[in-house]
Amino acid sequence: MNKLFYKDSGVASVIGTLFALLLIVTLISAFMTQYVPVYMKTNEAQHDSQIIYSLSQMKTFIDLLVATDQVNYSLSVNVPMGAPGIPIFAPSTPSQLEISISSNITNITIFNKGKYIFEDNSTGYVEIYAYNNYYPQEKIIYVNGGIIRYNVNYNTSTIFVGPGFSIQNTSKGYILNYYIYNIIGIPGSNTGTNTEDLLISLMGITKTTFTNATGFKYVNITINKTYQFSSTLASWYYSQSILYGYNGQYLTLNKNEISFSNVMQVNVITSYLMITMESS
């Protein structure tokens, strides 16, 4: 009679291989569930900070050009579009850069006896949408000289850096300094993870001053109610006016409109910016 023989060494090698595979799978699973989310969340948060830095740098350059009347002067700012990923395990997180020339976002109107004697609007914005997977998705927007930070997941927005606006309190009344930034040119958008260059040129500046001799009675700053961040901007202008010492009895906030009275002088500085994008 034939007898069956089993080799223990063969069984041991199979079991050893299975244990090795199980260990590898466990390690990969732990890496994917523990390390990757933490690492990518940090990368995406740092990338959002880089976007804010780039737009803040652009704002600083533009403000300097306007303050020094450097018309027809050009400059560029680098914008990193992607948060670094982990090869094989997690791809880079892309962003979308959009340049818009949409009109009538913010508006200043100077009134006298119910009729306006001056009106001007700001146009356009630069928006970067970070499509984060681990950190909250955010939009960083440069609009009328200010920077808005919008948390898409929680639908909350804050003014990171305010628009050009200041108030002087004198014995005869208040002096308002209001800046308007118009973005002109060809609108466009691009999505990716590479670096984009924002090319900025100051094409022109106009400065208009109104005093009591002009006959105005009050001034309105209005944010287009259809604009997504109208209440955020209106609240900022109102709170800044209070911080500048504007007396509450001469100041009114009505949803997306701020009304000023007892104004002695208004200085309106309007700039025209050509902003385009170019891949590095």
Side-chain angles (χ1 to χ4, degrees), residues 124-199:
Y125 58 83
V126 177
E127 177 182 285
I128 303 175
Y129 191 156
Y131 295 118
N132 298 327
N133 296 309
Y134 301 90
Y135 190 73
Q137 293 191 359
E138 290 193 297
K139 290 182 179 180
I140 314 299
I141 308 105
Y142 173 84
V143 57
N144 196 35
I147 297 176
I148 298 174
R149 187 173 188 174
Y150 173 59
N151 187 313
V152 177
N153 297 65
Y154 296 99
N155 191 29
T156 57
S157 58
T158 57
I159 303 293
F160 183 77
V161 183
F165 175 71
S166 64
I167 297 174
Q168 297 166 259
N169 188 355
T170 72
S171 58
K172 296 181 179 180
Y174 297 97
I175 299 175
L176 271 63
N177 301 300
Y178 184 79
Y179 290 78
I180 297 175
Y181 296 83
N182 291 307
I183 297 176
I184 59 178
I186 302 173
S189 66
N190 188 31
T191 302
T193 58
N194 296 325
T195 298
E196 292 283 338
D197 291 330
L198 285 173
L199 309 177

Side-chain angles (χ1 to χ4, degrees), residues 84 95 99 117 151 154 232 267-268:
S95 298
I99 298 175
I117 58 177
N151 187 313
Y154 296 99
T232 302
N267 302 312
V268 181

Side-chain angles (χ1 to χ4, degrees), residues 104-121:
N104 192 21
I105 293 177
T106 65
N107 169 277
I108 183 170
T109 310
I110 300 176
F111 283 90
N112 179 35
K113 296 181 180 179
K115 296 181 180 180
Y116 69 82
I117 58 177
F118 176 83
E119 183 176 21
D120 202 355
N121 306 308

Side-chain angles (χ1 to χ4, degrees), residues 38-252:
V38 173
Y39 183 84
M40 287 302 298
K41 184 177 181 179
T42 301
N43 281 359
E44 290 178 349
Q46 291 176 345
H47 176 240
D48 285 11
S49 296
Q50 291 173 339
I51 293 174
I52 292 173
Y53 174 79
S54 294
L55 290 190
S56 297
Q57 188 179 39
M58 182 181 78
K59 170 183 167 55
T60 300
F61 288 156
I62 290 173
D63 289 350
L64 286 173
L65 292 181
V66 173
T68 56
D69 292 331
Q70 297 296 318
V71 178
N72 295 323
Y73 188 91
S74 301
L75 54 90
S76 65
V77 174
N78 294 328
V79 179
M81 294 289 286
I86 304 173
I88 301 175
F89 297 101
S92 298
T93 306
S95 298
Q96 181 187 52
L97 171 61
E98 178 187 4
I99 298 175
S100 171
I101 57 172
S102 61
S103 61
N104 192 21
I105 293 177
T106 65
N107 169 277
I108 183 170
T109 310
I110 300 176
F111 283 90
N112 179 35
K113 296 181 180 179
K115 296 181 180 180
Y116 69 82
I117 58 177
F118 176 83
E119 183 176 21
D120 202 355
N121 306 308
S122 71
T123 61
Y125 58 83
V126 177
E127 177 182 285
I128 303 175
Y129 191 156
Y131 295 118
N132 298 327
N133 296 309
Y134 301 90
Y135 190 73
Q137 293 191 359
E138 290 193 297
K139 290 182 179 180
I140 314 299
I141 308 105
Y142 173 84
V143 57
N144 196 35
I147 297 176
I148 298 174
R149 187 173 188 174
Y150 173 59
N151 187 313
V152 177
N153 297 65
Y154 296 99
N155 191 29
T156 57
S157 58
T158 57
I159 303 293
F160 183 77
V161 183
F165 175 71
S166 64
I167 297 174
Q168 297 166 259
N169 188 355
T170 72
S171 58
K172 296 181 179 180
Y174 297 97
I175 299 175
L176 271 63
N177 301 300
Y178 184 79
Y179 290 78
I180 297 175
Y181 296 83
N182 291 307
I183 297 176
I184 59 178
I186 302 173
S189 66
N190 188 31
T191 302
T193 58
N194 296 325
T195 298
E196 292 283 338
D197 291 330
L198 285 173
L199 309 177
I200 305 107
S201 296
L202 178 59
M203 307 303 294
I205 302 174
T206 60
K207 298 180 180 180
T208 309
T209 297
F210 297 89
T211 64
N212 274 336
T214 312
F216 69 83
K217 296 299 182 183
Y218 59 94
V219 179
N220 283 357
I221 294 177
T222 307
I223 316 301
N224 191 330
K225 63 182 180 180
T226 63
Y227 183 56
Q228 182 178 3
F229 308 108
S230 61
S231 60
T232 302
L233 282 168
S235 296
W236 182 88
Y237 279 112
Y238 181 81
S239 61
Q240 285 298 114
S241 300
I242 296 296
L243 288 175
Y244 276 118
Y246 214 99
N247 192 320
Q249 65 177 316
Y250 302 121
L251 184 66
T252 304

